[in-house]
Amino acid sequence: VELKLMIYSIFNTFRSLFWSIVLMVMLLYLCSVCLTQATTQHILEVGRSPTYVATLERDFGSIPKTGFTLFKAVMGGVSWGDLWD
């Protein structure tokens, strides 16, 4: 009886976990779109040295690149300070 209750409880938490992950992915996508748009606008307006532009395009050049960069920053794979510089 206790094992059934534990298994039932674990499977019921998957629904909440699923919706939490969906919400997190949607938020990450929305931030990626906004940040990619801002980066593209910044590159067009400022247009500094080629190495500066290449660094921005490497990390924020497209929505998937921006999303991956944000994911790395949130999960601790890269420091926010490194991205800021």
Side-chain angles (χ1 to χ4, degrees), residues 13-50:
T13 59
F14 282 135
R15 187 174 64 195
S16 297
L17 177 65
F18 171 75
W19 287 113
S20 298
I21 290 172
V22 167
L23 182 63
M24 208 164 45
V25 168
M26 287 175 52
L27 185 61
L28 185 69
Y29 179 76
L30 179 66
C31 290
S32 297
V33 169
C34 293
L35 196 55
T36 302
Q37 178 68 29
T39 303
T40 304
Q41 191 68 28
H42 176 72
I43 289 172
L44 292 174
E45 288 176 359
V46 176
R48 289 190 188 174
S49 68

